[in-house]
Protein backbone atom coordinates (compact mmCIF):
# COMPACT_ATOMS: atom_id res chain seq x y z
CA UNK A 1 0.00 0.00 0.00
CA UNK A 2 1.32 3.44 -0.88
CA UNK A 3 1.08 5.77 2.08
CA UNK A 4 -0.98 8.92 1.77
CA UNK A 5 1.23 11.89 1.02
CA UNK A 6 0.29 15.33 2.27
CA UNK A 7 0.88 17.89 -0.53
CA UNK A 8 1.72 20.54 2.06
CA UNK A 9 4.77 18.62 3.28
CA UNK A 10 6.82 19.59 0.23
CA UNK A 11 6.81 23.27 1.12
CA UNK A 12 8.68 22.53 4.36
CA UNK A 13 11.60 21.06 2.40
CA UNK A 14 12.21 24.46 0.81
CA UNK A 15 11.91 26.59 3.93
CA UNK A 16 13.29 24.90 7.03
CA UNK A 17 11.63 26.25 10.20
CA UNK A 18 13.94 28.13 12.56
CA UNK A 19 13.69 29.25 16.16
CA UNK A 20 12.04 32.66 16.40
CA UNK A 21 12.06 35.02 19.37
CA UNK A 22 8.49 33.97 20.14
CA UNK A 23 9.68 30.34 20.09
CA UNK A 24 12.47 31.15 22.53
CA UNK A 25 10.10 32.98 24.88
CA UNK A 26 7.67 30.07 24.71
CA UNK A 27 10.49 27.63 25.49
CA UNK A 28 11.47 29.74 28.53
CA UNK A 29 7.85 29.74 29.68
CA UNK A 30 7.63 25.96 29.38
CA UNK A 31 10.92 25.55 31.24
CA UNK A 32 9.58 27.66 34.11
CA UNK A 33 6.46 25.48 34.09
CA UNK A 34 8.61 22.38 34.47
CA UNK A 35 8.45 21.35 30.81
CA UNK A 36 12.06 21.76 29.62
CA UNK A 37 11.61 19.43 26.64
CA UNK A 38 9.01 21.65 24.98
CA UNK A 39 10.98 23.80 22.54
CA UNK A 40 8.86 25.29 19.73
CA UNK A 41 10.45 25.72 16.31
CA UNK A 42 8.64 27.78 13.68
CA UNK A 43 5.00 26.60 13.59
CA UNK A 44 5.84 23.29 15.30
CA UNK A 45 5.05 22.70 19.01
CA UNK A 46 8.53 21.35 19.78
CA UNK A 47 11.79 20.23 18.17
CA UNK A 48 12.17 17.77 21.06
CA UNK A 49 9.61 14.96 21.11
CA UNK A 50 8.97 13.78 24.67
CA UNK A 51 6.39 10.99 25.11
CA UNK A 52 6.15 11.78 28.86
CA UNK A 53 5.90 8.03 29.41
CA UNK A 54 2.38 8.06 27.97
CA UNK A 55 0.38 4.99 27.00
CA UNK A 56 2.00 2.95 24.23
CA UNK A 57 -0.79 3.37 21.69
CA UNK A 58 -0.73 7.16 21.93
CA UNK A 59 3.00 7.20 21.41
CA UNK A 60 2.65 5.13 18.24
CA UNK A 61 -0.26 7.28 17.07
CA UNK A 62 1.06 10.76 17.84
CA UNK A 63 4.72 10.99 18.85
CA UNK A 64 6.39 8.63 16.38
CA UNK A 65 4.76 10.10 13.21
CA UNK A 66 5.33 13.66 14.45
CA UNK A 67 8.99 12.94 15.24
CA UNK A 68 9.48 11.24 11.88
CA UNK A 69 8.09 14.24 10.03
CA UNK A 70 10.41 16.56 11.98
CA UNK A 71 13.35 14.29 11.13
CA UNK A 72 12.51 14.37 7.42
CA UNK A 73 12.57 18.16 7.34
CA UNK A 74 15.75 18.33 9.43
CA UNK A 75 14.17 19.82 12.55
CA UNK A 76 14.21 16.93 15.02
CA UNK A 77 16.57 17.69 17.89
CA UNK A 78 15.88 14.82 20.31
CA UNK A 79 13.37 12.10 21.25
CA UNK A 80 12.63 11.08 24.83
CA UNK A 81 10.65 8.00 25.80
CA UNK A 82 10.50 4.73 27.76
CA UNK A 83 12.96 1.85 28.01
CA UNK A 84 13.14 -0.27 24.87
CA UNK A 85 11.82 2.36 22.46
CA UNK A 86 14.94 3.18 20.44
CA UNK A 87 13.74 0.92 17.61
CA UNK A 88 10.64 3.09 17.09
CA UNK A 89 12.83 6.17 16.68
CA UNK A 90 15.52 4.68 14.44
CA UNK A 91 15.58 8.03 12.59
CA UNK A 92 16.26 10.13 15.71
CA UNK A 93 19.65 11.89 16.00
CA UNK A 94 19.48 11.62 19.81
CA UNK A 95 17.12 9.16 21.50
CA UNK A 96 16.96 9.01 25.29
CA UNK A 97 15.13 6.41 27.38
CA UNK A 98 14.27 8.00 30.72
CA UNK A 99 10.92 6.45 31.73
CA UNK A 100 10.63 2.93 33.15
CA UNK A 101 6.81 2.81 33.41
CA UNK A 102 3.91 4.11 31.34
CA UNK A 103 0.99 6.17 32.56
CA UNK A 104 -2.06 8.02 31.27
CA UNK A 105 -1.15 11.59 30.26
CA UNK A 106 -3.96 14.11 29.79
CA UNK A 107 -2.03 16.50 27.55
CA UNK A 108 0.89 15.52 25.32
CA UNK A 109 2.95 18.68 25.67
CA UNK A 110 5.65 18.38 23.01
CA UNK A 111 3.12 17.66 20.25
CA UNK A 112 0.32 19.80 21.72
CA UNK A 113 -2.33 17.08 21.47
CA UNK A 114 -4.81 15.40 23.78
CA UNK A 115 -5.56 11.67 23.67
CA UNK A 116 -8.05 10.66 20.96
CA UNK A 117 -7.73 13.94 19.04
CA UNK A 118 -7.16 13.43 15.34
CA UNK A 119 -3.49 14.15 14.59
CA UNK A 120 -2.59 17.29 12.66
CA UNK A 121 -1.95 16.01 9.12
CA UNK A 122 0.47 18.85 8.37
CA UNK A 123 2.98 17.51 10.88
CA UNK A 124 2.16 13.80 10.98
CA UNK A 125 3.94 11.21 8.82
CA UNK A 126 4.27 7.58 9.97
CA UNK A 127 7.64 5.92 9.24
CA UNK A 128 7.75 2.88 7.00
CA UNK A 129 8.64 0.29 9.63
CA UNK A 130 7.92 -2.58 7.22
CA UNK A 131 10.63 -1.41 4.84
CA UNK A 132 13.13 -0.68 7.61
CA UNK A 133 12.74 -3.94 9.54
CA UNK A 134 11.51 -6.29 6.81
CA UNK A 135 14.86 -7.96 6.16
CA UNK A 136 16.51 -7.63 9.54
CA UNK A 137 15.97 -11.28 10.54
CA UNK A 138 15.04 -14.40 8.57
CA UNK A 139 12.10 -16.11 10.26
CA UNK A 140 11.69 -18.72 7.50
CA UNK A 141 8.06 -19.70 8.10
CA UNK A 142 6.79 -22.44 5.80
CA UNK A 143 3.36 -20.79 5.44
CA UNK A 144 2.10 -17.19 5.48
CA UNK A 145 2.38 -15.69 8.94
CA UNK A 146 -0.76 -14.94 10.96
CA UNK A 147 -0.08 -12.89 14.08
CA UNK A 148 -2.56 -12.91 16.97
CA UNK A 149 -2.16 -10.04 19.43
CA UNK A 150 -4.05 -10.42 22.70
CA UNK A 151 -4.05 -8.82 26.14
CA UNK A 152 -5.52 -9.61 29.54
CA UNK A 153 -5.16 -6.78 32.01
CA UNK A 154 -7.15 -4.42 34.20
CA UNK A 155 -8.81 -1.69 32.08
CA UNK A 156 -10.19 1.55 33.49
CA UNK A 157 -10.01 0.01 36.97
CA UNK A 158 -12.25 -2.85 35.84
CA UNK A 159 -11.51 -6.53 35.12
CA UNK A 160 -10.30 -7.32 31.58
CA UNK A 161 -12.73 -6.21 28.85
CA UNK A 162 -10.95 -6.19 25.48
CA UNK A 163 -9.42 -9.65 25.13
CA UNK A 164 -9.72 -12.74 22.94
CA UNK A 165 -11.22 -15.64 24.88
CA UNK A 166 -9.71 -19.14 24.94
CA UNK A 167 -12.78 -20.50 23.11
CA UNK A 168 -12.30 -17.94 20.33
CA UNK A 169 -8.59 -18.69 20.09
CA UNK A 170 -9.36 -22.41 19.73
CA UNK A 171 -11.70 -21.65 16.84
CA UNK A 172 -9.12 -19.45 15.14
CA UNK A 173 -6.56 -22.24 15.35
CA UNK A 174 -9.02 -24.76 13.93
CA UNK A 175 -9.96 -22.48 11.04
CA UNK A 176 -6.51 -21.22 10.04
CA UNK A 177 -3.61 -23.44 11.05
CA UNK A 178 -3.75 -25.53 7.87
CA UNK A 179 -2.94 -22.42 5.83
CA UNK A 180 -0.95 -20.21 8.20
CA UNK A 181 1.95 -20.28 10.60
CA UNK A 182 0.38 -18.89 13.79
CA UNK A 183 2.34 -16.75 16.25
CA UNK A 184 0.60 -15.63 19.44
CA UNK A 185 1.55 -12.52 21.41
CA UNK A 186 0.09 -11.67 24.81
CA UNK A 187 2.50 -9.44 26.73
CA UNK A 188 3.16 -10.18 30.39
CA UNK A 189 4.48 -7.97 33.17
CA UNK A 190 7.98 -9.15 32.17
CA UNK A 191 7.58 -7.42 28.82
CA UNK A 192 5.29 -4.44 29.50
CA UNK A 193 5.62 -2.02 32.41
CA UNK A 194 2.29 -0.23 32.61
CA UNK A 195 -0.01 1.31 35.18
CA UNK A 196 -2.57 -1.47 34.65
CA UNK A 197 -1.94 -4.87 36.30
CA UNK A 198 -1.56 -7.81 33.91
CA UNK A 199 -3.56 -10.99 34.54
CA UNK A 200 -3.18 -14.56 33.33
CA UNK A 201 -5.60 -16.05 30.81
CA UNK A 202 -4.02 -19.52 31.21
CA UNK A 203 -4.16 -20.08 27.47
CA UNK A 204 -0.53 -20.30 26.41
CA UNK A 205 0.19 -23.96 27.18
CA UNK A 206 -3.08 -24.87 25.50
CA UNK A 207 -2.09 -22.98 22.34
CA UNK A 208 1.42 -24.39 22.39
CA UNK A 209 -0.04 -27.91 22.51
CA UNK A 210 -2.09 -27.06 19.39
CA UNK A 211 1.01 -26.09 17.45
CA UNK A 212 0.77 -22.32 17.85
CA UNK A 213 4.15 -20.59 18.23
CA UNK A 214 4.37 -18.35 21.30
CA UNK A 215 6.22 -15.10 20.67
CA UNK A 216 8.32 -15.46 23.81
CA UNK A 217 9.48 -18.92 22.65
CA UNK A 218 10.42 -17.58 19.23
CA UNK A 219 12.14 -14.58 20.79
CA UNK A 220 14.66 -16.85 22.54
CA UNK A 221 16.51 -17.15 19.22
CA UNK A 222 16.71 -13.37 18.80
CA UNK A 223 17.90 -12.13 22.17
CA UNK A 224 20.25 -9.68 20.46
CA UNK A 225 17.15 -7.61 19.68
CA UNK A 226 14.93 -5.81 22.17
CA UNK A 227 11.47 -7.36 22.37
CA UNK A 228 9.99 -4.27 20.72
CA UNK A 229 12.41 -4.56 17.82
CA UNK A 230 11.55 -8.24 17.56
CA UNK A 231 7.85 -7.32 17.29
CA UNK A 232 8.65 -4.86 14.49
CA UNK A 233 10.48 -7.59 12.60
CA UNK A 234 7.53 -9.97 13.03
CA UNK A 235 5.02 -7.39 11.87
CA UNK A 236 7.20 -6.55 8.88
CA UNK A 237 6.89 -10.14 7.67
CA UNK A 238 3.14 -10.55 8.21
CA UNK A 239 0.22 -9.53 6.01
CA UNK A 240 -2.42 -11.08 8.29
CA UNK A 241 -3.21 -10.06 11.86
CA UNK A 242 -5.84 -10.32 14.60
CA UNK A 243 -5.64 -7.81 17.45
CA UNK A 244 -7.63 -6.21 20.26
CA UNK A 245 -8.29 -2.62 21.34
CA UNK A 246 -5.25 -1.05 22.92
CA UNK A 247 -1.64 -0.18 22.26
CA UNK A 248 -0.85 -3.16 20.05
CA UNK A 249 -3.71 -2.16 17.72
CA UNK A 250 -1.99 1.18 17.05
CA UNK A 251 1.30 -0.60 16.38
CA UNK A 252 -0.40 -3.04 14.00
CA UNK A 253 -1.98 -0.17 12.09
CA UNK A 254 1.49 1.08 11.11
CA UNK A 255 2.02 -1.99 8.88
CA UNK A 256 0.45 -2.95 5.53
CA UNK A 257 -1.78 -5.99 5.38
CA UNK A 258 -5.15 -7.06 6.76
CA UNK A 259 -6.19 -6.67 10.38
CA UNK A 260 -9.24 -7.83 12.29
CA UNK A 261 -9.72 -5.90 15.51
CA UNK A 262 -11.86 -6.67 18.57
CA UNK A 263 -13.19 -3.54 20.25
CA UNK A 264 -15.64 -4.04 23.11
CA UNK A 265 -15.01 -0.77 24.90
CA UNK A 266 -12.77 2.29 24.55
CA UNK A 267 -12.68 5.80 23.15
CA UNK A 268 -11.40 4.93 19.68
CA UNK A 269 -14.81 4.30 18.14
CA UNK A 270 -16.41 7.29 19.86
CA UNK A 271 -13.71 9.68 18.65
CA UNK A 272 -13.23 8.13 15.20
CA UNK A 273 -9.61 7.04 15.71
CA UNK A 274 -10.07 3.90 13.65
CA UNK A 275 -10.74 6.13 10.65
CA UNK A 276 -7.27 7.60 11.23
CA UNK A 277 -5.86 4.06 11.35
CA UNK A 278 -6.39 3.85 7.60
CA UNK A 279 -3.90 6.71 7.17
CA UNK A 280 -1.24 4.89 9.17
CA UNK A 281 -0.37 2.12 6.73
CA UNK A 282 -2.75 -0.82 7.29
CA UNK A 283 -4.29 -2.01 4.01
CA UNK A 284 -7.58 -3.40 5.29
CA UNK A 285 -9.11 -2.95 8.75
CA UNK A 286 -12.33 -4.43 10.11
CA UNK A 287 -13.47 -3.54 13.65
CA UNK A 288 -15.75 -5.94 15.55
CA UNK A 289 -17.58 -5.48 18.84
CA UNK A 290 -17.82 -9.18 19.66
CA UNK A 291 -16.12 -12.47 18.86
CA UNK A 292 -19.14 -13.94 17.07
CA UNK A 293 -18.85 -11.28 14.36
CA UNK A 294 -15.14 -11.98 14.11
CA UNK A 295 -15.73 -15.69 13.58
CA UNK A 296 -18.29 -14.90 10.86
CA UNK A 297 -15.79 -12.57 9.23
CA UNK A 298 -12.93 -15.02 9.59
CA UNK A 299 -14.12 -17.14 6.65
CA UNK A 300 -14.25 -14.08 4.39
CA UNK A 301 -10.95 -12.90 5.86
CA UNK A 302 -9.35 -16.20 4.91
CA UNK A 303 -10.93 -16.20 1.47
CA UNK A 304 -9.65 -12.72 0.68
CA UNK A 305 -6.23 -13.64 2.01
CA UNK A 306 -5.83 -16.29 -0.66
CA UNK A 307 -5.41 -13.46 -3.13
CA UNK A 308 -2.96 -11.53 -0.94
CA UNK A 309 -0.70 -14.27 0.39
Amino acid sequence: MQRNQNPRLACHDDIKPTFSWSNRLAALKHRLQGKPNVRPIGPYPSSIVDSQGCEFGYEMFYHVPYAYHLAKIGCLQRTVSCSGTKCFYFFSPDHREVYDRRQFVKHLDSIDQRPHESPDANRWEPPNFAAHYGNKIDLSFSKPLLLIFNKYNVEWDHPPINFLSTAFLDRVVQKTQDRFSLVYLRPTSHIVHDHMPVGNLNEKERLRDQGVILAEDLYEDYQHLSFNEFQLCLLSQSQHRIAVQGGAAYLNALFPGQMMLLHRYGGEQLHGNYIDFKRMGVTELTVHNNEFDMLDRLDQFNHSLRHVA
Side-chain angles (χ1 to χ4, degrees):
M1 173 184 177
Q2 184 175 359
R3 296 175 184 273
N4 295 332
Q5 297 296 322
N6 188 326
R8 292 188 61 183
L9 295 181
C11 69
H12 296 302
D13 294 331
D14 299 326
I15 304 175
K16 180 178 177 180
T18 58
F19 293 102
S20 66
W21 278 108
S22 61
N23 289 158
R24 296 176 192 278
L25 290 173
L28 176 60
K29 177 183 175 181
H30 286 300
R31 182 178 292 274
L32 294 174
Q33 292 175 337
K35 304 173 184 178
N37 284 337
V38 181
R39 300 185 188 178
I41 178 170
Y44 294 90
S46 181
S47 61
I48 298 176
V49 182
D50 185 351
S51 75
Q52 301 168 251
C54 72
E55 293 184 4
F56 180 74
Y58 296 145
E59 182 169 6
M60 297 300 103
F61 193 42
Y62 296 113
H63 295 89
V64 171
Y66 173 74
Y68 183 66
H69 173 61
L70 279 186
K72 285 195 68 175
I73 63 174
C75 293
L76 181 62
Q77 180 180 348
R78 183 187 311 144
T79 50
V80 183
S81 188
C82 299
S83 301
T85 55
K86 183 177 181 180
C87 56
F88 300 121
Y89 297 95
F90 64 87
F91 49 82
S92 176
D94 179 11
H95 183 68
R96 303 182 186 183
E97 300 179 352
V98 302
Y99 306 109
D100 58 6
R101 296 189 68 84
R102 292 188 178 274
Q103 60 183 341
F104 177 74
V105 179
K106 292 183 178 179
H107 186 265
L108 307 169
D109 295 327
S110 66
I111 55 175
D112 192 24
Q113 298 244 204
R114 294 185 182 277
H116 291 307
E117 286 182 341
S118 185
D120 185 341
N122 295 310
R123 49 182 175 86
W124 186 86
E125 189 174 0
N128 192 337
F129 284 132
H132 188 78
Y133 289 102
N135 297 314
K136 185 145 192 172
I137 59 176
D138 182 10
L139 294 168
S140 300
F141 289 104
S142 59
K143 293 178 283 189
L145 178 60
L146 171 59
L147 299 179
I148 305 172
F149 284 79
N150 202 4
K151 66 175 181 177
Y152 194 71
N153 55 263
V154 172
E155 300 178 85
W156 306 285
D157 297 323
H158 289 278
I161 300 171
N162 297 292
F163 67 95
L164 304 172
S165 69
T166 54
F168 174 80
L169 293 170
D170 287 344
R171 291 290 290 141
V172 171
V173 174
Q174 293 168 14
K175 282 175 169 286
T176 62
Q177 69 176 169
D178 61 326
R179 297 184 46 246
F180 293 98
S181 295
L182 275 63
V183 174
Y184 180 75
L185 301 93
R186 181 176 65 79
T188 67
S189 57
H190 298 294
I191 298 172
V192 174
H193 299 281
D194 208 314
H195 60 296
M196 293 299 180
V198 175
N200 190 356
L201 194 55
N202 296 312
E203 84 290 17
K204 292 190 175 182
E205 284 300 324
R206 180 191 188 106
L207 291 173
R208 187 185 280 121
D209 290 342
Q210 296 179 74
V212 176
I213 303 168
L214 301 187
E216 52 264 44
D217 294 345
L218 188 61
Y219 179 53
E220 290 182 2
D221 295 329
Y222 302 97
Q223 293 289 322
H224 61 287
L225 304 175
S226 69
F227 188 79
N228 280 332
E229 190 171 6
F230 171 69
Q231 286 190 102
L232 291 171
C233 292
L234 270 180
L235 283 160
S236 297
Q237 299 188 35
S238 170
Q239 291 288 317
H240 323 286
R241 303 184 294 276
I242 299 173
V244 298
Q245 182 276 345
Y250 289 88
L251 178 61
N252 269 265
L254 288 165
F255 290 82
Q258 297 178 304
M259 177 167 66
M260 293 175 59
L261 177 65
L262 175 66
H263 177 108
R264 290 196 180 101
Y265 185 79
E268 286 84 359
Q269 282 192 324
L270 176 65
H271 297 282
N273 295 134
Y274 292 137
I275 296 174
D276 287 318
F277 272 30
K278 296 175 182 179
R279 299 163 49 204
M280 297 175 73
V282 65
T283 310
E284 180 182 320
L285 171 69
T286 57
V287 181
H288 308 268
N289 298 123
N290 61 72
E291 293 176 331
F292 297 106
D293 289 346
M294 294 184 77
L295 286 174
D296 288 341
R297 170 68 181 169
L298 192 58
D299 291 331
Q300 300 177 33
F301 182 67
N302 285 342
H303 177 74
S304 63
L305 290 181
R306 291 192 184 98
H307 306 290
V308 176

